Amino acid sequence: MEGYETGDPRPVLFDIEDRVGIITINRPRQLNALNREVLESLRAVLEESRSNASLRALIITGSGPKAFVAGADIGEMVAMNGGEAFSFSEFGQNVFDAVERHPKPVIAAVNGYALGGGCELALACDIRIAAENARFGQPEVGLGIIPGFGGTQRLSRLVGKAAAMDMILSARTVGAEEALRMGLVSRVVPEGAALKEALAVAAEIGRKSPYAVSQAKRAVREGLLATFDDGLGLERELFAGCFSHPDREEGMTAFLQKRKAEF
Ligand code: CO8
């Protein structure tokens, strides 16, 4: 499936397979570079999928064999003035926030280059799976700009200040194995297998309580933005909230009855 160019003219494709929404950034000839049209379409797909109760998880991937997303579209940015750059950055940040705050888990299946805005898109996802040919980087300083879609904030929170500074200030790219060592991705699979692995992870998540999964995502995400004590407070609240949801009764009863829970 991966590496397949559809010839479809839409900049973002949305397919549903076994209760998993697959979002494909689809500008393979430009290595899926993010222009305003792509970001608008991505925002629309994220919005549409929020209220689709049958979906258990989302996957974001790139079309073609070479790239997840090779960054924001440099051709579109070249003529921008400061005001336009501010609003483009704000717009992209909002779209990536919608990825991070999405009630369903979002998995990045990274096939090839994830550079600049592409790395930032992957960073906004909950789980990152890299193919062996994946390359991550924030090359912005080489273009005379800085990461503008959340990279300075998310990369440092994810891999720590030292590793983030190393990547952002030098603009060097890291391969899949190094990304795994630094905690930038959680799995590396053979070239061409990232989407398949993401589908397997999504299927695993899909067998669990959707309510509990969404609350666990919320607890981790919001807890990281809070103090440790406030994070524990949030955890207690969301933990207790599960006891008012039918999934908790089904999950525990199924365990005691030695059968698989049906959520
Ligand atoms: N923008 C526009 N076009 C791109 C981009 C991009 N980011 N990346 C690749 N392309 C295009 C190329 O121009 C080329 O088009 P054409 O065939 O018409 O010449 C086509 O895709 C194929 O690319 P290459 O021929 O360069 O392919 P290579 O295999 O030789 O190289 C690379 C692949 C190494 C990925 C190379 O394309 C590259 O370096 N791309 C740019 C990577 C980059 O610098 N990305 C960061 C962009 S800046 C950014 O993302 C900032 C985000 C925050 C924005 C805030 C808003 C203000």
Side-chain angles (χ1 to χ4, degrees):
M1 209 176 318
E2 205 167 296
Y4 176 66
E5 277 193 34
T6 59
D8 193 312
R10 289 171 301 165
V12 174
L13 310 178
F14 186 56
D15 300 293
I16 297 180
E17 212 175 282
D18 297 332
R19 302 193 295 181
V20 178
I22 306 171
I23 299 171
T24 306
I25 309 297
N26 187 40
R27 294 182 78 208
R29 276 183 205 105
Q30 292 78 30
L31 305 186
N32 304 319
L34 302 169
N35 58 16
R36 199 163 252 279
E37 193 193 7
V38 174
L39 289 172
E40 294 274 11
S41 306
L42 178 58
R43 182 172 66 170
V45 164
L46 291 166
E47 193 52 44
E48 179 192 328
S49 58
R50 276 182 79 86
S51 53
N52 186 335
S54 69
L55 287 178
R56 296 293 175 101
L58 296 178
I59 292 173
I60 301 182
T61 194
S63 175
K66 276 183 71 175
F68 174 71
V69 166
D73 192 316
I74 299 168
E76 203 176 75
M77 285 189 295
V78 67
M80 281 181 189
N81 61 32
E84 289 161 341
F86 184 92
S87 81
F88 190 51
S89 169
E90 189 174 41
F91 180 57
Q93 287 179 349
N94 287 339
V95 176
F96 289 8
D97 251 15
V99 172
E100 191 170 275
R101 289 166 193 265
H102 202 285
K104 301 169 201 296
V106 186
I107 304 170
V110 181
N111 48 314
Y113 292 110
L115 302 178
C119 188
E120 292 169 300
L121 176 58
L123 290 170
C125 296
D126 302 310
I127 297 175
R128 281 158 293 283
I129 296 171
E132 274 167 355
N133 69 329
R135 291 208 72 81
F136 297 85
Q138 298 289 165
E140 285 88 345
V141 294
L143 297 166
I145 57 174
I146 70 169
F149 291 160
T152 58
Q153 304 309 303
R154 288 201 178 91
L155 187 62
S156 46
R157 280 167 173 77
L158 186 68
V159 302
K161 181 180 168 189
M165 287 289 198
D166 181 342
M167 282 180 69
I168 292 171
L169 302 186
S170 71
R172 79 184 177 92
T173 60
V174 302
E177 286 302 332
E178 186 174 356
L180 182 66
R181 280 199 300 279
M182 61 203 290
L184 178 43
V185 303
S186 51
R187 300 181 193 213
V188 176
V189 296
E191 191 172 335
L195 182 55
K196 189 165 162 257
E197 181 75 4
L199 282 164
V201 174
E204 192 71 44
I205 292 171
R207 287 190 282 277
K208 308 299 186 291
S209 154
Y211 181 75
V213 166
S214 73
Q215 297 306 92
K217 168 169 173 169
R218 211 184 129 192
V220 173
R221 191 184 71 76
E222 290 182 24
L224 276 172
L225 302 172
T227 63
F228 189 76
D229 283 348
D230 287 348
L232 287 179
L234 174 68
E235 183 186 76
R236 280 196 300 276
E237 227 174 85
L238 299 180
F239 177 78
C242 293
F243 285 70
S244 312
H245 195 278
D247 281 3
R248 197 272 317 177
E249 194 179 341
E250 167 61 9
M252 291 190 175
T253 308
F255 175 81
L256 295 173
Q257 293 176 347
K258 302 193 185 306
R259 63 173 173 83
K260 276 211 167 103
E262 294 290 334
F263 296 114

